[in-house]
Amino acid sequence: MECGSPAAAFLFDRCRGAKKVKPIRTIIIGGGFAAVKFAKTLRSKLRHSDCEIVLFNRENHMVFHPLLADVAGASLNVDSAAAPLRQMLPGVGCRTERVQRINLDTSEIAYEDENGSLAHLHFDHVVVACGADSNLAIIPGMTEHAFAFKVMRDAIDLRQHIVRQMEKAEATADPVRRRHYLSFIIVGAGFSGVEVGGEINELVRSSTRFYHNFHKEDVKVTLVHSQDQVLPEVAPTLREFARKKMEKAGITILLNARAVSATQEGVQLKDGRVLDGATIVCTIGTTTSPLVQNLEVPKEKGRIRTTPDMRIEGQTNAWALGDCALIINDYDKKPALTTGQLAEREGRQAALNLVRILNGEPTKPFRFKNLGQLCSIGGYNAVAEMFGMHFSGFIAWFLWRSVYLFKLPTWSRRIKVSLDWAWDLVFPRDLGFLSTDEAQQLTHAYFRPGDFVHHQGDPARLFSIVEEGEVEILQSREPNAEPKLVAVLGKGDFFGEGALLGNHPHETSIRARTVVRLGQIGSELFSQITGSFTPMRELLTKAITRQGSDIWRRLPLAKSLLEDLPLASLLDPPPQLLHKDNTVADAVRALNEGSSGELIIVDENQHFWGTFDRDELYRVIARMAVSSTVASDLPIQQKLGDLVSPSRVYITLDDSTLVAAATMLDHGTSWIPVVRSKSDLQPVGTLRGDKISYRLVQKLDRNSQPPQTQQASAAT
Ligand SMILES: Cc1cc2nc3c(=O)[nH]c(=O)nc-3n(C[C@H](O)[C@H](O)[C@H](O)COP(=O)(O)OP(=O)(O)OC[C@H]3O[C@@H](n4cnc5c(N)ncnc54)[C@H](O)[C@@H]3O)c2cc1C
């Protein structure tokens, strides 16, 4: 085995020598299983005078992940699964700061200090143990609508949300909404998915006796799993036991089912099924932290590759441990699993290896035989594999609790958790929640084409800004009448302000025309912003009066004339089409050759991608001039697709002239592209505002003439 570097050994000898020199500094990044075990072991082996240990973690506590599901299910108090690092690690300098960069050449880390400025600290050894982050972006809509399940905040927010859904179910008179509030979808049936599914089921079903408006039969907990068995990590007999027990407890398990999107109404599966549910928990999808992503060292699937003694490949004084590292286990010669059990062992063995290096001894490879797996499945049941033996049911559950109680980092936590669990055996789970008022929040929402954001007549709750895609504004003249499309809004547009400022229900419905992402501000936060910032209020008031859909409501005659005016009769042929890979120079030439000063940009399928006109060209040139160092260096060979963020709003041949006019007014444009249909975005022409106005004036003129004159003009 490789020996410790002589330089390090020399350094250590100097530390221990007669002349007092500074102790070596070991910086640990992370405060999870691996980091804490490393720090504890190193502190127990080296004196303060020999080694200064500084541990940087984003939070001031260590999260004991196996108990997160109990926190979400209210069988544990929120602070029981989090242990304060400085109380756990006496003799270690604990810093609650985020490390931004590691410079392995200069042996320095850069971190965000308490004022948010960048500070630097030198190290003799650095340990990267910053785990993995949740990555909900792997499924569209999950970031906006699902709960991740990784940090304390996730468990606390989820618990609050579950209790809130029960309160909503109690309050509503609508049985469909009641079932919606009581439907919970968990994506992923690995350890965390099964544990949190079991806990949610237990919490909600056991709490129904405190509510009058719903019963156990109204509760639906669904586990969605892409494989053909739950808990792929345990033996087949235990998986089967877990599945049967959970189904008996009322949990629906959908196997071979892949979630493809999420909205505020639920989850869509790959086979087209849509699962209704007001709560989505996404337990799949992880990514390495930005710190690891920016570290230029050998990696595999995002994890840092290490030598057998857990030093980063190619480094002598940098180590990587836990979920962020790819360590080959000498026991089976396979990459070590990303579990807390393995992370802890890695932490201990890496610390011992560092001590060996400092003593000038050879290091040892990481070698560990997995002791087993434990997973709680709810209802005082668990499955366990320990030392080659299998346990299931209550015995496994008892084992699960005993093992994790014993593994908790401090005695105070152990006592706290055992008291919570004892309490939970006797008393009902706590249904109190701190109000996290939706009206005070800034959130994001995802909608599939055809989904409604709100309906006409709904109370105003949110101010929304379109971040991506397009929405349609629909309006019914009479209650129960078929709603008609009155305008289209695109990226950067907003809606909901009229109803919020006027304190009345929505006068239109909003429906997603494409995939749509919205930024949404709750009603109270919106009132605070508009109340305290007069310019913002004035801007929104102006926007309301500008809105096309609103203007036509106040001009009923013009509105009905426009509705009856066939769009096809006003259509101009499409201007020159440019591809988004065409350059700015191509666009300049095309604008120069054409007479309209407008271009339509298409994608590789010849589908509408955006518009480009002279105004946009001037904006692009101005931007280029600002970013170019020399004026003559304007990068005119840049692709339009990379440079332009064009207006993506269009109308279809099926839309009415009223929709076209309202949409142009909303966007302050004098023309709008027309495509064949919503499903076929091939450009078929353009509509011009002046042409519509001219035909409108003609019609209004005719309408205002006395009947005889109208007949005469009809005869001519
Ligand atoms: C819900 C759930 C249940 C689980 N159940 C089990 C189980 O029953 N048994 C089991 O063995 N494993 C379980 N695991 C897996 C286990 O928790 C992980 O494998 C383990 O936590 C990995 O430890 P770690 O030290 O590598 O990272 P973590 O424990 O994730 O700790 C990493 C720490 O680094 C911090 N950090 C990240 N970036 C920075 C930065 N730039 N600056 C400062 N700090 C930073 C983070 O805030 C975090 O505190 C579970 C995981 C989850 C999510």
Side-chain angles (χ1 to χ4, degrees), residues 598-617:
E598 295 145 5
L599 300 171
I600 289 181
I601 308 175
V602 290
D603 64 14
E604 42 290 337
N605 301 317
Q606 297 298 306
H607 283 165
F608 172 74
W609 185 79
T611 56
F612 193 79
D613 55 19
R614 290 209 172 98
D615 290 345
E616 184 62 35
L617 174 69

Side-chain angles (χ1 to χ4, degrees), residues 11 22-27 107 122-126 316-318:
L11 177 69
K22 268 169 70 176
I24 64 156
R25 180 183 289 145
T26 300
I27 293 182
S107 294
H122 177 81
F123 58 79
D124 296 299
H125 280 266
V126 67
T316 52
N317 64 342

Side-chain angles (χ1 to χ4, degrees), residues 621-660:
I621 292 176
R623 273 206 306 273
M624 284 174 160
V626 170
S627 54
S628 301
T629 40
V630 187
S632 59
D633 284 350
L634 282 181
I636 54 166
Q637 292 309 327
Q638 276 203 32
K639 290 179 183 171
L640 288 174
D642 297 336
L643 260 186
V644 181
S645 50
S647 154
R648 300 248 167 101
V649 175
Y650 60 85
I651 54 160
T652 75
L653 277 177
D654 304 327
D655 292 330
S656 71
T657 309
L658 174 71
V659 173

